[in-house]
Every structure is written in C-alpha cells, then in structure tokens.
Amino acid sequence: MLLTAVWGSTFFLIHDLVTTLPPTDFLAVRFGIAAVLMMAIFWPQVRRLGRREWVVGLGLGVVYGVAQILQTIGLAHTDASVSGFITGTYVVLTPVLSALLLRERLPRATWYAVGLATVGLAVLSLRGVSIGLGEALTLGCAVVYALHIIGLGRWSVPLHATGMAAVQMIAIAVVCAISAVPGGLVLPSTGGQWAAVLYMATAAGVFALWAQTWAQARMTATRAAIVMTLEPVFAAGFAVLVGQEGLTARMVVGGLLVLAAMYLVELRGRGPGQPSSEVLHHEVT
C-alpha cells in the first residue's frame, strides 16, 4: 500500500515533465540515477546472488523497462485519467495470464475482487475513451506490467529480494538508455525538473522497486495486483491535496470500490486462521 502511495504521488509530475522532456530521456536519467544508488546501497546483497538470480533479475528488469517506456510514451499521447484506467487493467490481466501461463486456480472471491477493482478504476478514472496511439501503447504497458507482477510472484524469494531488485534496476536503466540513444540524451533544464526526477529516482525508483520485489516474495501475484489498484486512488488524493483539483463523487465512489476489492481478496478470500487460499509458486517448486 505504501508503494502504491508513492506511485500515485508521481503521476502528475510525470505528466508535466513529458510535455517538455522527451519521455525516453526522462526515463534514462531517472533509472540511471536509481541504478547507481541501488548498486551502492545494496552491493553486499548483490554479491550474494547466484547466476540464476542474476538471469531472473535481468530478465524481469527488461520486462519492467519495456513497460515503463510504453506507459510514459503513451501518457504523452492520451489523457492522464484514461492512462490511469488502462494501466490499471493489469488487475484483470494478472489473474487471467496466471491462469493461462501457470495453470493457477484462483478462489472465486479473487475473481469477484478483480471485477470490483475494475469497476472502481473505471468510475475513478474513465471519462470516455477512444483507441489511439496513446491508448494502444498503454494497453501494451498493462500486459507487460502483468507479466512482471507474475514473474516476481513466481521467482522472487525473501532471501534474494533485495539483491534482485538492484539487478532489475540495472536492466531497466540499460533498456531506457538504449531507447533514448537515437535522438540524443536531453537532460532536465530547471531546478524543478531535476527535483522531480530525483524524487522519482529515489522514492519511486530505489524504494519502489525494492518494496515491490520484497513484498511479492511474500504474497501471490494476483493479490499484489489487486492491492496495486490503490495507485489511482492515491493519485486522485494527491491531485486534490497538492494539485488543487476538486474532490468529486466519482473519486469517492471509485475509491470505495477499490477498497472493497482489497477487503474481499485480503479477508474474504481466506479461511479461518489461514494466511491465504492461494499458494506462492516459489514455496512449492
């Protein structure tokens, strides 16, 4: 939940930045800084990784980097509210792809929660949509995000979570840097832009990727995806508190539906005294 609050706080910052800074250049600078910081902070944990953890971490990092590029370029070509809803469809795609790729059987309560969360996202974010370049790129981003969530749930384990987060960040930085090369790297030009980039490199970069990798070593991919639907709820809250937008009935109703979905998957999906009716894949492999 703390992770989604950090993500939600960055949405309006990114939307403003990509109007003056090329999206891939912004990502290259953001994740380049984050990669250097994570390697400096978590080098002892990285050194303890084996070849398998390096391969998995780099692979997941490439997946996450592609998702970031698709989302950020898409955000430059569509409204922020529409982008937020389409990105949030990973809450539906995650269990569907888990069932197809991993043959994972999910409790009925989880599917109800997926439906509730989807309706809540639509009420919160959607004000009409047509399929253009931005929407198509953002939908592709949602698919790739779902694959990343599934991959973390499948391969992240508590012992190596911190080191794997740092390795992922290296791959993300490389992918974003390669995407920025063709047009030449453009750096932020004002103090405000640098402050925003540094915040997103640290709080929404170093902390966020570490927190997601650590948390998903302890929970299933579908539960994680449903909890992550709080991101647009926090984004709306920050828009009201910081961006001076007005509080609307849509925000309240959509937010309550997302919270109801979380309650359903976290509490109703468990048996009495049981941690969860879903099993972590790395616990049985």
Side-chain angles (χ1 to χ4, degrees):
M1 290 177 63
L2 180 59
L3 166 66
T4 63
V6 172
W7 280 344
S9 71
T10 67
F11 214 80
F12 70 96
L13 292 174
I14 294 174
H15 191 264
D16 290 343
L17 272 175
V18 296
T19 60
T20 57
L21 195 66
T24 54
D25 295 26
F26 153 67
L27 291 174
V29 175
R30 171 189 175 185
F31 288 115
I33 294 171
V36 171
L37 290 175
M38 290 195 81
M39 290 301 290
I41 297 169
F42 300 129
W43 178 242
Q45 290 85 350
V46 173
R47 289 185 63 185
R48 290 196 290 267
L49 296 178
R51 180 178 178 180
R52 177 182 181 276
E53 287 75 33
W54 269 91
V55 171
V56 170
L58 290 173
L60 290 174
V62 169
V63 171
Y64 192 93
V66 170
Q68 282 285 323
I69 292 170
L70 291 174
Q71 182 183 29
T72 306
I73 296 177
L75 186 57
H77 294 85
T78 190
D79 293 336
S81 60
V82 174
S83 176
F85 170 74
I86 297 176
T87 301
T89 57
Y90 62 64
V91 72
V92 178
L93 296 168
T94 298
V96 171
L97 292 175
S98 289
L100 292 174
L101 299 176
L102 303 178
R103 299 181 181 179
E104 187 177 75
R105 297 183 64 183
L106 302 176
R108 184 177 299 177
T110 298
W111 289 108
Y112 291 153
V114 167
L116 266 179
T118 303
V119 173
L121 287 169
V123 172
L124 183 68
S125 304
L126 203 58
R127 293 172 177 81
V129 60
S130 59
I131 302 299
L133 175 62
E135 291 77 20
L137 290 173
T138 308
L139 182 59
C141 140
V143 174
V144 181
Y145 270 139
L147 293 174
H148 182 260
I149 292 168
I150 293 169
L152 274 184
R154 177 65 176 82
W155 288 301
S156 180
V157 295
L159 179 63
H160 299 304
T162 299
M164 282 183 60
V167 172
Q168 286 181 79
M169 189 61 79
I170 294 172
I172 295 168
V174 170
V175 168
C176 293
I178 291 173
S179 69
V181 165
L185 184 63
V186 178
L187 298 176
S189 57
T190 67
Q193 289 181 352
W194 273 111
V197 169
L198 289 174
Y199 170 74
M200 285 182 278
T202 53
V206 174
F207 168 75
L209 191 60
W210 169 81
Q212 184 183 1
T213 305
W214 184 92
Q216 283 205 242
R218 295 161 172 81
M219 65 194 303
T220 63
T222 299
R223 287 176 63 206
I226 292 174
V227 172
M228 289 177 192
T229 57
L230 275 176
E231 178 184 359
V233 179
F234 281 115
F238 279 108
V240 172
L241 295 175
V242 182
Q244 299 181 342
E245 293 186 14
L247 182 65
T248 66
R250 295 172 65 97
M251 291 182 181
V252 174
V253 174
L256 289 175
L257 287 170
V258 170
L259 290 175
M262 281 189 56
Y263 168 82
L264 187 60
V265 77
E266 286 295 317
L267 301 179
R268 305 297 289 184
R270 301 179 182 186
Q274 299 296 319
S276 174
S277 53
E278 300 171 65
V279 180
L280 296 177
H281 279 278
H282 61 67
E283 292 179 349
V284 295
T285 56

